[in-house]
Amino acid sequence: MSAVLLPILPPLIAALAVLILRRGSAALALAGATLSLAGGVRLLAGALDGQAETLLLPGLPDMPLRLVSGPMTALLSVAVATVGTFVLVYAIGYMKRESGQARFYAVMSLFLAAMQALVLAGDWVLLLAAWELIGLCSYLLIGFWFQRPEAANAASRAFLYTRSADLGLYVAIFILIGSSGTSEIAASLEVGGSASTAAGLLLLLAAMGKSAQVPLQDWLMRAMAGPTPVSALLHSATLVAAGAILLIRSATLLSPEALFAIGLVGGITTVAAGVIALAERDLKRLLAASTASQYGLMLIAVGAGVPTAALLHLLAHAAIKSTLFLAAGDFQHAREGTAFDQLKGVGRARPWAFAGFALAALALAGIPPLSGFFSKDAVIAAALSGQGAAWLGPLALAGTLLTGAYMGRALRVLWQGSGDSRPVEGTGWMRAGIWGLAIPAAGLGLAFGPLETILDLPAPETAGTVAIVLGLVAALVGLALGWLVPVQRLLGPAHQWAESGLEVAGGLTAWIGRPAMAVARGCDRLEDHLYAAALAIGHTALSIARGGERLEQRLYLAVLGVGRANLAVGRWVRSGDERGIDGLIFALVAGVRDLGARARTLQSGLIHHSLAISAVATAVLLAILFSASLSV
Amino acid sequence: MGRDLALIIPEIAVLLTAVGALIAEMLRQPRISLIIAVIGLVVGTGLTLRLLGTDTTVFGGSFRIDTLSIWAKLILLPATVLSMLLARVDVRGSAREGTVYSLLIFSTLGALVLAGAGDSMFLVLGTLLTGLATFALVAYPDTDPATEAAMKFFVFASVTTAIMIFGLSYWFGASGSTLIADLPAMDTMPLAVILGFVTVVVGLGYKASLVPFHFWAPDAYEGAPLSIAAYLSVVPKIGALFALTQVVRHLPPETGWAAVMAGLAVLSMTYGYLAALVQDNVIRLLAYSSIAQSGYFLLGILAVGSSELALPSIILFAVAYAAMNLGAFAVAAIAGRTLNDFSGLGRSRPLIAIAMVVFLLSLVGIPPLAGFVGKFLLFAAAIDVQFTWLAVVAIINSALSLAVYLRIVVPMYRGGDSASVELDAWLGFVVFATVAATFIIGLGAQFMIVRDIV
């Protein structure tokens, strides 16, 4: 058996075993994930020695399915398996009280297997299958509590949003296979010209759906209705990451026009989603908006032509965001919810979880020597040095500033307040999961140097002093703002006199806080409008369909009208002849009319009319073909 | 003569099975009738297997033993067995139970004759044989809607078949032969070829329920017993589409027949899904969906003769279509006929609900299910013969179809009350068999293509 299958098969087998045995499901799923991690590490070790493995499986004619292990795919496979393993460890504690364990662990394992297949896929058909599978699994996982209407709703919404964008992937793959003649990803990326631009833009569309980029970000916030381990897995290394991974892997395909569009989408998203995150009043929704914002930063790096920076940030973000979510789940159990009003001061009650959260929050903001500092510097350096630096640079810096601000705000809410808590079951497992991911979130940055050398992509520019200083300043200012602004909001107008003593901070609220809130509200409204527009399009399609049905009814009525007119003519003729014609004929006419009436009750449907349409269609076909053949 | 008879042994077995089932019914032994029918059809399928790879004709070229006709047997005979198991739930204990089984087999025989037709008279014979048996089957429940549906079906079929016979007389007059293979000899008389072709499209198009010859289908499906609707949507339809394939492979390309197929494909797919979007009755919804699926078949049919992919794509999609459509009807037989009946099914019958999701996703064409492989090959075949625009239209329609099928899926998982549903063991078996087929075909298609089986 080829080593490439090692990361995929164990979770797949685990999913089947859970479904069949229906007991010990947590242990089975965890074993599957751990073996998958071991397989990933083995692939990575092989890749470091320069062995690129390829496995061909029988596929469509002339298009074998292939799995490829290179430095990048092996690295992503390890990241997916690491996050998956620790999230499962955590889930043992988190899901203790829930029913439907077998369903949960089976789908989680299947999800993991599908994501590994997506990461390691070497051809478009397999990638497409894996892409659809993770979409389906995410639908099942977000809707895990399907008895709750908001969860069922969120699952359908996530599925529909990402599905509609997936159409882009289908068409892009058609274009790529059609113009290159092969389904192998690496080879098909060689096509140049207009095909590459079209395919690049369509891939961007698919990535926008999965990675929740503006204007398709809405589903991500609502997907918070699912269990927290699901959010942690979805947001870090799997579902949402699939979009960015797709763009990073097809970086060599992208033409300047496509790069411009990617940078633009990423830049707008990182700022807009950052502002939304700042305005959120719920911890999980804040983290979700932050995910969209961070993927915006990765798209900026891809758009600047430095996919390696995007990959590094993706890895750092995977560890950081999963830590944040897992800690949030811990707080959720302690206070029965994640709204800020419920969470005040919970950090004092749950110090271990809070320490992990704080570490990851500082890492995400980009404080040295944590991992986010290095990856964010790489992104900012890419934005400042690549093409379009004039506008990508400021957008990346604004994104960094906002990251600091919303993380500062979250930390403050969690720390200030009274520290009481309900007893939480399964704390040990949850703590192990959180810290298993917090450690890479903190220390991963040290591994970036060696990683850059083994990736077969163009290395990013070494971050210059300018980039480092700008990034650090933005992060620190953001953190300070985030910590300070809510204080002013809490004091409110009653404490205005106290504000006058703090002119500078008050000014900051007026100048930054309020406009930011207004923009955030505007974004929220825009989102509602977009949703309404999407609904309106759906209604239009429905009304066109209904219109077709009405047209059919009208035609039928018209046909009936002709029939009635004939009857009227008949009656008129009869009244003229009544005196001259004898009783025999009269009886015959009456008999025929009686028969007709019986036939009419039998055929209440449209048979005359439908036969007439079929006859007209036949005549049209004949006319078209005759005229075509005569004109030849 | 001996060789010819040896080659049509499966058809002979099917005929004897039909007669045997009828005799058992005459002796008032409906159970034995069912047993004879199932065993006979399974034996017929087994006898067909050894013919795989044969490509020849019998009886002076009038009947073909080729990939299409062999696969027609391999698809339609098992599909008929499953339909009979479905029908058993509807007719068990009624006065004419065995008659239904026997009529189903006679109708299937007609579909097999159509699929292997090498002679225009076989087209007529097959159309009449399937038609006569299915009119009676639709009218079987003896209720007002059923009688009305059967009446409509009969009138529609009579008119379209008459048109076809009229057109075929021109072919005979112009070429002096009823063999389809002799069509190219008429290239000095293009108008006669065209007239005959259009009437064949009418005659077979009604049976395959292609727009605009589809009007009978939703009414007939709704009026007939559910098992008969499932049967009608699969067996006669596939027979007619295969017959159309047998005809067009001999048509000269300059008649422009491929463009006509493309136009009908667009009409069928789009109209079918748009109409399905506003139905509240699941049977009517599935009826319109099956009209749309007929349109997809045409993508493969218009590539016949010019693309290597055409025949495999048609056959594979036919297998996939038979499995997923029968399965969807079987679930409807368990759950009920209206969308409301499906609400809460996800809770009361989770496995059945998952099966339904599998069928519907396969109908949309999502990997790794059977429908995806079939549609993928159909699109590839159409692109192969420069009909890329048509493939794009078909892909867009697939996206539209998701909205149609989600109308069934959403209430299953969101509906409020969930009345518990009785589950007949045989219905459960049909659902299981079709789910298994949907997966196996989806995953095993590569194998079949590589080994040159289809």
Side-chain angles (χ1 to χ4, degrees), chain A residues 306-323:
Chain A
V306 192
T308 316
L311 182 63
L312 293 182
H313 194 53
L314 190 143
L315 294 174
H317 176 258
I320 293 170
K321 189 50 66 68
S322 45
T323 312

Side-chain angles (χ1 to χ4, degrees), chain B residues 72-416:
Chain B
K73 281 163 233 166
L74 292 179
I75 299 167
L76 299 186
L77 297 181
T80 309
V81 172
L82 293 178
S83 305
M84 280 195 295
L85 297 183
L86 281 181
R88 183 162 185 272
V89 180
D90 283 330
V91 302
R92 184 166 35 199
S94 70
R96 288 167 293 174
E97 187 183 341
T99 323
V100 171
Y101 304 141
S102 161
L103 281 174
L104 281 173
I105 305 173
F106 275 118
S107 168
T108 304
L109 186 63
L112 296 183
V113 167
L114 275 178
D119 187 298
S120 48
M121 287 306 105
F122 270 70
L123 292 178
V124 178
L125 182 65
T127 313
L128 291 178
L129 195 50
T130 40
L132 289 174
T134 45
F135 306 147
L137 286 170
V138 171
Y140 175 83
D142 205 11
T143 58
D144 280 351
T147 313
E148 188 190 326
M151 192 67 199
K152 272 184 199 163
F153 186 17
F154 176 70
V155 171
F156 210 93
S158 308
V159 174
T160 48
T161 311
I163 292 177
M164 179 166 83
I165 296 174
F166 169 71
L168 288 176
S169 69
Y170 276 76
W171 273 0
F172 178 62
S175 69
S177 156
T178 53
L179 285 184
I180 297 172
D182 287 340
L183 281 178
M186 290 196 288
D187 52 5
T188 52
M189 286 164 284
L191 294 188
V193 176
I194 290 171
L195 183 67
F197 165 65
V198 171
T199 59
V200 167
V201 168
V202 175
L204 295 177
Y206 113 79
K207 207 158 262 303
S209 57
L210 293 170
V211 176
F213 314 110
H214 66 282
F215 295 99
W216 63 275
D219 290 334
Y221 289 12
E222 196 187 1
L226 217 144
S227 50
I228 303 305
Y231 177 84
L232 281 178
S233 75
V234 172
V235 177
K237 172 175 285 194
I238 291 178
L241 287 164
F242 279 20
L244 197 55
T245 316
Q246 297 280 26
V247 173
V248 297
R249 64 209 273 192
H250 296 288
L251 281 178
E254 59 273 12
T255 50
W257 62 269
V260 168
M261 291 284 120
L264 289 179
V266 171
L267 272 181
S268 299
M269 293 185 292
T270 315
Y271 182 90
Y273 283 139
L274 280 180
L277 213 52
V278 292
Q279 304 302 325
D280 288 322
N281 181 312
V282 175
I283 304 304
R284 285 188 85 85
L285 192 155
L286 287 176
Y288 281 111
S289 125
S290 84
I291 289 170
Q293 304 281 353
S294 300
Y296 283 92
F297 275 103
L298 296 187
L299 265 71
I301 293 182
L302 64 79
V304 166
S306 323
S307 166
E308 296 262 300
L309 282 171
L311 285 183
S313 70
I314 296 169
I315 291 169
L316 265 176
F317 192 64
V319 187
Y321 171 79
M324 58 206 185
N325 223 42
L326 278 178
F329 271 101
V331 174
I334 295 169
R337 283 172 172 256
T338 66
L339 282 177
N340 279 338
D341 293 333
F342 277 79
S343 71
L345 191 69
R347 246 160 294 160
S348 54
R349 287 265 163 214
L351 284 180
I352 298 293
I354 288 175
M356 191 67 174
V357 173
V358 168
F359 296 134
L360 297 180
L361 291 184
S362 178
L363 282 166
V364 178
I366 286 177
L369 302 169
F372 168 73
V373 184
K375 279 192 180 172
F376 186 90
L377 288 174
L378 286 173
F379 297 162
I383 291 173
D384 222 16
V385 291
Q386 315 299 326
F387 272 96
T388 312
W389 66 268
L390 184 59
V392 171
V393 171
I395 293 171
I396 292 173
N397 266 304
S398 287
L400 176 62
S401 74
L402 188 71
V404 172
Y405 298 123
L406 275 180
R407 296 192 58 219
I408 302 182
V409 173
V410 170
M412 286 201 304
Y413 288 99
R414 194 190 277 177

Side-chain angles (χ1 to χ4, degrees), chain A residues 259-274:
Chain A
L259 286 176
F260 172 79
I262 292 171
L264 188 66
V265 168
I268 291 175
T269 304
T270 193
V271 173

Side-chain angles (χ1 to χ4, degrees), chain A residues 26 29-30 33-34 37 79-96 104-105 108-109 111-112 141 227-238 318-327 426 429-438 440:
Chain A
L30 192 55
T34 318
L37 178 58
V80 169
T82 310
V83 174
T85 307
F86 285 109
V87 166
L88 282 171
V89 167
Y90 174 91
I92 296 174
Y94 184 89
M95 301 294 289
K96 222 162 207 167
F104 177 78
Y105 287 108
M108 286 289 264
S109 294
F111 188 64
L112 214 52
L141 287 172
T228 300
V230 171
S231 311
L233 190 62
L234 253 51
H235 282 243
S236 51
T238 55
I320 293 170
K321 189 50 66 68
S322 45
T323 312
L324 290 173
F325 266 111
L326 295 186
W429 287 108
M430 281 158 66
R431 199 179 285 163
I434 293 172
W435 279 92
L437 286 163

Side-chain angles (χ1 to χ4, degrees), chain A residues 336-596:
Chain A
E336 280 293 300
T338 52
F340 280 163
D341 298 336
Q342 291 168 295
L343 287 183
K344 283 193 186 107
V346 73
R348 292 175 196 267
R350 313 284 301 162
W352 278 98
F354 181 72
F357 188 92
L359 193 64
L362 294 178
L364 191 64
I367 301 300
L370 305 171
S371 64
F373 168 71
F374 298 98
S375 67
K376 201 161 275 183
D377 268 347
V379 171
I380 293 174
L384 287 174
S385 65
Q387 41 194 313
W391 52 280
L392 281 184
L395 284 172
L397 283 172
T400 310
L401 183 87
L402 284 165
T403 309
Y406 57 70
M407 277 300 141
R409 179 159 175 238
L411 285 175
R412 185 188 162 98
V413 168
L414 295 174
W415 187 246
Q416 292 205 331
S418 70
D420 51 344
S421 156
R422 296 176 336 111
V424 179
E425 281 179 68
T427 302
W429 287 108
M430 281 158 66
R431 199 179 285 163
I434 293 172
W435 279 92
L437 286 163
I439 290 165
L444 198 61
L446 304 175
F448 281 168
L451 282 181
E452 280 171 19
T453 57
I454 63 161
L455 287 172
D456 44 2
L457 286 168
E461 309 253 330
T462 37
T465 326
V466 185
I468 293 177
V469 170
L470 281 178
L472 201 53
V473 167
L476 289 173
V477 170
L479 276 175
L481 278 180
W483 189 274
L484 292 175
V485 171
V487 183
Q488 306 307 317
R489 280 173 50 78
L490 282 177
L491 287 176
H495 296 270
Q496 241 170 5
W497 63 270
E499 263 183 357
S500 61
L502 301 163
E503 272 281 331
V504 180
L508 276 178
T509 315
W511 289 105
I512 295 179
R514 282 189 202 132
M517 287 298 168
V519 173
R521 273 193 290 276
C523 288
D524 206 37
R525 266 201 296 280
L526 183 67
E527 208 167 282
D528 284 346
H529 286 312
L530 277 174
Y531 176 56
L535 266 186
I537 292 171
H539 280 309
T540 317
L542 268 181
S543 58
I544 290 174
R546 285 214 192 86
E549 208 172 61
R550 268 204 291 282
L551 185 67
E552 212 166 75
Q553 279 168 0
R554 296 264 158 76
L555 275 173
Y556 172 54
L557 286 179
V559 172
L560 259 188
V562 173
R564 290 222 182 87
N566 280 340
L567 273 181
V569 171
R571 256 186 240 115
W572 179 70
V573 169
R574 193 182 66 182
S575 71
D577 289 358
E578 211 140 57
R579 264 172 272 165
I581 292 169
D582 64 41
L584 182 68
I585 294 180
F586 189 82
L588 196 66
V589 169
V592 169
R593 280 187 61 197
D594 195 34
L595 265 181

